Short mmCIF file of all heavy atoms in Angstrom, two decimals:
data_model
loop_
_atom_site.label_atom_id
_atom_site.label_comp_id
_atom_site.label_asym_id
_atom_site.label_seq_id
_atom_site.Cartn_x
_atom_site.Cartn_y
_atom_site.Cartn_z
N THR C 297 13.20 4.75 -9.11
CA THR C 297 14.61 5.13 -8.96
C THR C 297 14.77 6.52 -8.37
O THR C 297 15.89 6.91 -8.02
CB THR C 297 15.35 5.06 -10.31
OG1 THR C 297 14.69 5.90 -11.27
CG2 THR C 297 15.39 3.62 -10.83
N LYS C 298 13.69 7.28 -8.24
CA LYS C 298 13.77 8.61 -7.61
C LYS C 298 14.02 8.43 -6.13
O LYS C 298 13.26 7.73 -5.45
CB LYS C 298 12.49 9.40 -7.85
CG LYS C 298 12.51 10.79 -7.21
CD LYS C 298 11.18 11.50 -7.39
CE LYS C 298 10.12 10.96 -6.45
NZ LYS C 298 10.42 11.21 -5.02
N LEU C 299 15.09 9.05 -5.62
CA LEU C 299 15.44 8.93 -4.21
C LEU C 299 15.41 10.29 -3.54
O LEU C 299 15.72 11.30 -4.16
CB LEU C 299 16.83 8.31 -4.08
CG LEU C 299 17.00 6.88 -4.64
CD1 LEU C 299 18.47 6.47 -4.58
CD2 LEU C 299 16.13 5.89 -3.88
N PRO C 300 15.07 10.34 -2.24
CA PRO C 300 14.63 9.23 -1.40
C PRO C 300 13.20 8.81 -1.74
O PRO C 300 12.44 9.59 -2.32
CB PRO C 300 14.72 9.80 0.02
CG PRO C 300 14.48 11.27 -0.17
CD PRO C 300 15.13 11.61 -1.48
N PHE C 301 12.85 7.59 -1.36
CA PHE C 301 11.49 7.10 -1.58
C PHE C 301 10.53 7.83 -0.64
O PHE C 301 10.76 7.91 0.57
CB PHE C 301 11.40 5.60 -1.30
CG PHE C 301 12.19 4.74 -2.25
CD1 PHE C 301 12.76 3.57 -1.82
CD2 PHE C 301 12.34 5.09 -3.58
CE1 PHE C 301 13.48 2.75 -2.68
CE2 PHE C 301 13.05 4.30 -4.46
CZ PHE C 301 13.64 3.12 -4.01
N SER C 302 9.45 8.34 -1.21
CA SER C 302 8.44 9.06 -0.43
C SER C 302 7.12 8.31 -0.46
O SER C 302 6.79 7.64 -1.45
CB SER C 302 8.25 10.46 -1.03
OG SER C 302 7.07 11.07 -0.52
N GLU C 303 6.36 8.42 0.61
CA GLU C 303 5.04 7.79 0.67
C GLU C 303 4.10 8.36 -0.40
O GLU C 303 3.08 7.75 -0.72
CB GLU C 303 4.40 7.99 2.05
CG GLU C 303 5.16 7.38 3.19
CD GLU C 303 6.11 8.36 3.87
OE1 GLU C 303 6.50 9.36 3.22
OE2 GLU C 303 6.46 8.13 5.05
N GLN C 304 4.46 9.52 -0.96
CA GLN C 304 3.63 10.11 -2.01
C GLN C 304 3.96 9.55 -3.40
O GLN C 304 3.24 9.83 -4.36
CB GLN C 304 3.80 11.64 -2.03
CG GLN C 304 2.92 12.38 -1.02
CD GLN C 304 3.29 12.05 0.41
OE1 GLN C 304 4.46 12.16 0.78
NE2 GLN C 304 2.32 11.64 1.21
N ASP C 305 5.01 8.75 -3.50
CA ASP C 305 5.37 8.16 -4.79
C ASP C 305 4.39 7.05 -5.18
O ASP C 305 3.86 6.34 -4.32
CB ASP C 305 6.79 7.55 -4.72
CG ASP C 305 7.86 8.59 -4.49
OD1 ASP C 305 7.63 9.78 -4.78
OD2 ASP C 305 8.95 8.21 -4.01
N ALA C 306 4.20 6.88 -6.48
CA ALA C 306 3.43 5.74 -6.96
C ALA C 306 4.24 4.46 -6.74
O ALA C 306 5.46 4.45 -6.90
CB ALA C 306 3.12 5.90 -8.45
N VAL C 307 3.55 3.40 -6.35
CA VAL C 307 4.23 2.12 -6.11
C VAL C 307 3.52 1.02 -6.89
O VAL C 307 3.04 0.03 -6.34
CB VAL C 307 4.31 1.78 -4.59
CG1 VAL C 307 5.31 2.69 -3.91
CG2 VAL C 307 2.95 1.89 -3.92
N ASP C 308 3.48 1.19 -8.18
CA ASP C 308 2.71 0.31 -9.05
C ASP C 308 3.57 -0.64 -9.87
O ASP C 308 3.05 -1.32 -10.76
CB ASP C 308 1.85 1.14 -10.01
CG ASP C 308 0.87 2.02 -9.26
OD1 ASP C 308 0.32 1.56 -8.24
OD2 ASP C 308 0.66 3.18 -9.68
N HIS C 309 4.87 -0.72 -9.58
CA HIS C 309 5.75 -1.56 -10.38
C HIS C 309 6.63 -2.44 -9.49
O HIS C 309 7.86 -2.29 -9.48
CB HIS C 309 6.60 -0.71 -11.33
CG HIS C 309 5.78 0.10 -12.28
ND1 HIS C 309 5.33 1.37 -12.01
CD2 HIS C 309 5.28 -0.21 -13.50
CE1 HIS C 309 4.60 1.83 -13.01
NE2 HIS C 309 4.56 0.88 -13.93
N PRO C 310 6.03 -3.38 -8.77
CA PRO C 310 6.83 -4.28 -7.93
C PRO C 310 7.72 -5.16 -8.80
O PRO C 310 7.36 -5.53 -9.91
CB PRO C 310 5.77 -5.11 -7.20
CG PRO C 310 4.57 -5.07 -8.09
CD PRO C 310 4.59 -3.71 -8.72
N VAL C 311 8.89 -5.51 -8.25
CA VAL C 311 9.82 -6.37 -9.00
C VAL C 311 10.00 -7.72 -8.31
O VAL C 311 10.91 -8.48 -8.65
CB VAL C 311 11.18 -5.68 -9.22
CG1 VAL C 311 11.01 -4.44 -10.09
CG2 VAL C 311 11.85 -5.32 -7.90
N SER C 312 9.16 -8.02 -7.35
CA SER C 312 9.15 -9.33 -6.70
C SER C 312 7.74 -9.64 -6.24
O SER C 312 6.92 -8.73 -6.02
CB SER C 312 10.09 -9.36 -5.49
OG SER C 312 9.60 -8.53 -4.44
N LEU C 313 7.44 -10.93 -6.10
CA LEU C 313 6.13 -11.32 -5.61
C LEU C 313 5.93 -10.83 -4.18
O LEU C 313 4.83 -10.41 -3.81
CB LEU C 313 5.98 -12.85 -5.67
CG LEU C 313 4.64 -13.42 -5.18
CD1 LEU C 313 3.48 -12.87 -6.00
CD2 LEU C 313 4.67 -14.94 -5.23
N TYR C 314 6.97 -10.87 -3.36
CA TYR C 314 6.89 -10.36 -2.00
C TYR C 314 6.41 -8.91 -2.00
O TYR C 314 5.49 -8.54 -1.26
CB TYR C 314 8.25 -10.48 -1.33
CG TYR C 314 8.35 -9.78 0.01
CD1 TYR C 314 7.71 -10.29 1.13
CD2 TYR C 314 9.08 -8.60 0.15
CE1 TYR C 314 7.80 -9.66 2.36
CE2 TYR C 314 9.18 -7.97 1.37
CZ TYR C 314 8.54 -8.49 2.47
OH TYR C 314 8.62 -7.85 3.68
N ALA C 315 7.02 -8.09 -2.84
CA ALA C 315 6.63 -6.67 -2.91
C ALA C 315 5.18 -6.53 -3.35
O ALA C 315 4.44 -5.68 -2.82
CB ALA C 315 7.55 -5.94 -3.88
N ALA C 316 4.76 -7.35 -4.30
CA ALA C 316 3.37 -7.28 -4.77
C ALA C 316 2.39 -7.59 -3.65
O ALA C 316 1.34 -6.96 -3.53
CB ALA C 316 3.18 -8.24 -5.94
N THR C 317 2.73 -8.57 -2.79
CA THR C 317 1.82 -8.91 -1.69
C THR C 317 1.79 -7.79 -0.66
O THR C 317 0.74 -7.53 -0.06
CB THR C 317 2.21 -10.23 -1.01
OG1 THR C 317 3.51 -10.12 -0.41
CG2 THR C 317 2.18 -11.39 -1.99
N LYS C 318 2.89 -7.11 -0.45
CA LYS C 318 2.91 -6.00 0.52
C LYS C 318 2.10 -4.81 0.00
O LYS C 318 1.40 -4.14 0.76
CB LYS C 318 4.35 -5.60 0.83
CG LYS C 318 5.08 -6.62 1.69
CD LYS C 318 4.39 -6.81 3.04
CE LYS C 318 5.09 -7.75 3.96
NZ LYS C 318 4.42 -7.89 5.26
N LYS C 319 2.20 -4.55 -1.29
CA LYS C 319 1.35 -3.52 -1.89
C LYS C 319 -0.12 -3.92 -1.76
O LYS C 319 -0.99 -3.08 -1.44
CB LYS C 319 1.73 -3.33 -3.36
CG LYS C 319 0.75 -2.50 -4.19
CD LYS C 319 0.63 -1.07 -3.71
CE LYS C 319 -0.25 -0.25 -4.66
NZ LYS C 319 -0.49 1.11 -4.16
N ALA C 320 -0.41 -5.19 -1.98
CA ALA C 320 -1.79 -5.67 -1.82
C ALA C 320 -2.28 -5.47 -0.40
O ALA C 320 -3.45 -5.11 -0.17
CB ALA C 320 -1.87 -7.15 -2.21
N ASN C 321 -1.42 -5.69 0.59
CA ASN C 321 -1.80 -5.47 1.98
C ASN C 321 -2.23 -4.03 2.22
O ASN C 321 -3.21 -3.76 2.93
CB ASN C 321 -0.64 -5.80 2.91
CG ASN C 321 -0.37 -7.29 3.05
OD1 ASN C 321 0.63 -7.68 3.64
ND2 ASN C 321 -1.24 -8.14 2.51
N GLU C 322 -1.50 -3.09 1.64
CA GLU C 322 -1.86 -1.68 1.81
C GLU C 322 -3.23 -1.39 1.22
O GLU C 322 -4.05 -0.65 1.80
CB GLU C 322 -0.80 -0.80 1.16
CG GLU C 322 0.57 -0.89 1.82
CD GLU C 322 1.65 -0.09 1.14
OE1 GLU C 322 1.35 0.56 0.11
OE2 GLU C 322 2.79 -0.08 1.64
N LEU C 323 -3.52 -1.98 0.06
CA LEU C 323 -4.83 -1.79 -0.57
C LEU C 323 -5.94 -2.45 0.24
O LEU C 323 -7.03 -1.87 0.41
CB LEU C 323 -4.80 -2.36 -1.99
CG LEU C 323 -3.82 -1.70 -2.97
CD1 LEU C 323 -3.78 -2.49 -4.28
CD2 LEU C 323 -4.21 -0.26 -3.23
N MET C 324 -5.68 -3.64 0.73
CA MET C 324 -6.68 -4.33 1.54
C MET C 324 -6.97 -3.55 2.82
O MET C 324 -8.13 -3.42 3.23
CB MET C 324 -6.17 -5.74 1.88
CG MET C 324 -6.04 -6.66 0.67
SD MET C 324 -5.02 -8.13 0.99
CE MET C 324 -6.13 -9.09 2.02
N ALA C 325 -5.91 -3.02 3.44
CA ALA C 325 -6.09 -2.25 4.67
C ALA C 325 -6.94 -1.01 4.40
O ALA C 325 -7.81 -0.65 5.20
CB ALA C 325 -4.74 -1.85 5.24
N HIS C 326 -6.70 -0.36 3.26
CA HIS C 326 -7.51 0.82 2.96
C HIS C 326 -8.98 0.47 2.79
O HIS C 326 -9.86 1.21 3.25
CB HIS C 326 -7.01 1.56 1.71
CG HIS C 326 -7.77 2.84 1.48
ND1 HIS C 326 -8.92 2.89 0.73
CD2 HIS C 326 -7.55 4.09 1.94
CE1 HIS C 326 -9.38 4.13 0.73
NE2 HIS C 326 -8.57 4.88 1.46
N SER C 327 -9.26 -0.64 2.15
CA SER C 327 -10.66 -1.02 1.94
C SER C 327 -11.36 -1.23 3.28
O SER C 327 -12.52 -0.83 3.46
CB SER C 327 -10.77 -2.25 1.06
OG SER C 327 -10.29 -3.41 1.72
N TYR C 328 -10.68 -1.84 4.25
CA TYR C 328 -11.29 -2.06 5.57
C TYR C 328 -11.39 -0.75 6.35
O TYR C 328 -12.36 -0.55 7.10
CB TYR C 328 -10.51 -3.12 6.36
CG TYR C 328 -11.01 -4.51 6.07
CD1 TYR C 328 -10.85 -5.09 4.81
CD2 TYR C 328 -11.67 -5.25 7.05
CE1 TYR C 328 -11.32 -6.36 4.54
CE2 TYR C 328 -12.15 -6.52 6.79
CZ TYR C 328 -11.97 -7.07 5.53
OH TYR C 328 -12.46 -8.33 5.26
N ALA C 329 -10.42 0.12 6.18
CA ALA C 329 -10.52 1.43 6.83
C ALA C 329 -11.70 2.21 6.27
O ALA C 329 -12.43 2.88 7.02
CB ALA C 329 -9.22 2.21 6.62
N HIS C 330 -11.91 2.10 4.97
CA HIS C 330 -13.02 2.81 4.33
C HIS C 330 -14.38 2.19 4.65
O HIS C 330 -15.32 2.89 5.03
CB HIS C 330 -12.80 2.83 2.81
CG HIS C 330 -13.96 3.38 2.04
ND1 HIS C 330 -14.24 4.73 1.98
CD2 HIS C 330 -14.93 2.76 1.31
CE1 HIS C 330 -15.33 4.92 1.26
NE2 HIS C 330 -15.76 3.74 0.83
N LEU C 331 -14.48 0.88 4.51
CA LEU C 331 -15.77 0.21 4.68
C LEU C 331 -16.21 0.12 6.14
O LEU C 331 -17.40 0.28 6.45
CB LEU C 331 -15.71 -1.19 4.08
CG LEU C 331 -15.59 -1.29 2.56
CD1 LEU C 331 -15.30 -2.72 2.15
CD2 LEU C 331 -16.87 -0.78 1.90
N TYR C 332 -15.25 -0.15 7.03
CA TYR C 332 -15.61 -0.48 8.42
C TYR C 332 -15.01 0.50 9.42
O TYR C 332 -15.16 0.29 10.63
CB TYR C 332 -15.16 -1.91 8.74
CG TYR C 332 -15.62 -2.91 7.71
CD1 TYR C 332 -14.69 -3.58 6.90
CD2 TYR C 332 -16.97 -3.15 7.49
CE1 TYR C 332 -15.11 -4.49 5.94
CE2 TYR C 332 -17.40 -4.05 6.52
CZ TYR C 332 -16.46 -4.71 5.75
OH TYR C 332 -16.87 -5.61 4.79
N ARG C 333 -14.36 1.56 8.91
CA ARG C 333 -13.74 2.58 9.76
C ARG C 333 -12.74 1.95 10.72
O ARG C 333 -12.57 2.40 11.86
CB ARG C 333 -14.78 3.39 10.53
CG ARG C 333 -15.93 3.91 9.69
CD ARG C 333 -15.50 4.56 8.39
NE ARG C 333 -14.83 5.86 8.58
CZ ARG C 333 -14.35 6.59 7.57
NH1 ARG C 333 -14.44 6.13 6.31
NH2 ARG C 333 -13.77 7.74 7.81
N LEU C 334 -12.06 0.91 10.28
CA LEU C 334 -11.01 0.28 11.06
C LEU C 334 -9.73 1.09 10.90
O LEU C 334 -9.19 1.17 9.80
CB LEU C 334 -10.78 -1.16 10.58
CG LEU C 334 -9.54 -1.87 11.14
CD1 LEU C 334 -9.68 -2.10 12.65
CD2 LEU C 334 -9.31 -3.21 10.41
N PRO C 335 -9.22 1.70 11.96
CA PRO C 335 -7.97 2.46 11.83
C PRO C 335 -6.79 1.54 11.51
O PRO C 335 -6.53 0.57 12.24
CB PRO C 335 -7.80 3.11 13.21
CG PRO C 335 -9.19 3.13 13.80
CD PRO C 335 -9.82 1.86 13.30
N THR C 336 -6.11 1.82 10.42
CA THR C 336 -4.98 0.99 9.99
C THR C 336 -3.78 1.88 9.67
O THR C 336 -3.93 2.93 9.06
CB THR C 336 -5.31 0.15 8.74
OG1 THR C 336 -5.48 1.01 7.61
CG2 THR C 336 -6.57 -0.67 8.95
N THR C 337 -2.61 1.42 10.08
CA THR C 337 -1.37 2.11 9.75
C THR C 337 -0.37 1.09 9.21
O THR C 337 -0.07 0.10 9.88
CB THR C 337 -0.75 2.81 10.98
OG1 THR C 337 -1.68 3.76 11.49
CG2 THR C 337 0.53 3.53 10.59
#
C-alpha cells in the first residue's frame, strides 16, 4: 500500500495467481542471468 510503487519494494504478497506467475518470471529470469549470463530486463 506504500505509494508510489518502487522497484526496491518487496513484492512477496501477490493477491492473484497472475501476479504470482509474474513474480515467478522475475525470479526465473534472474536465475538465467546468474547461471548463463543471459541479459534480462
